[in-house]
Amino acid sequence: MGLREDMPLLARHEGEWEGTYTHLDADGNLLDRHRSHLTCTIVDDTTYHQVNRYTWDDGRTEEIQFPGTYLGDGRCGFDTERIKGEFWELDASTIYLSWVYKAAGADLRLFELIVLSEDGKSKSRVWQWIKGGVCVKRTLIDEHRVA
């Protein structure tokens, strides 16, 4: 068994996605908002690859590569210069991720839920940034499939 067979929901995420990231502080105040374009690909039975491209209204851009490795038993891991973590499917519509930003240290952990619509045309995501057991920030992401 391989990645595509063991993680059918992840396979449904393959394609091009556009959306908006909205970062809020613990009180719900806007910290940042920017547009995104994601490319999600299952390369083979052991490799997932995601490219995130961000664009801000002031013209700034950023591109980040997120390679993932299938760990078996329906779990993927990722370990880049920037982040380290794992993800897996909770049910037929929801993926759960847990990771740390290496520069911030292990005390700041992020937990993400990704919910794919039944028709596969949209998804919603939420990150909770937890430091010392307290939520210090939330990121809300709404995306739609463009290809």
Side-chain angles (χ1 to χ4, degrees), residues 10 13-14 33-34 71-72 81 97-98 109 131 135 147:
L10 181 64
H13 282 261
E14 281 191 288
R33 179 175 286 132
H34 56 274
L71 303 173
E81 290 180 13
L97 294 87
S98 174
R109 301 217 30 207
K131 185 173 182 90
C135 185

Side-chain angles (χ1 to χ4, degrees), residues 134-147:
V134 175
C135 185
V136 296
K137 183 175 171 179
R138 288 184 177 87
T139 301
L140 308 173
I141 307 161
D142 294 302
E143 297 167 314
H144 62 277
R145 185 183 298 276
V146 294

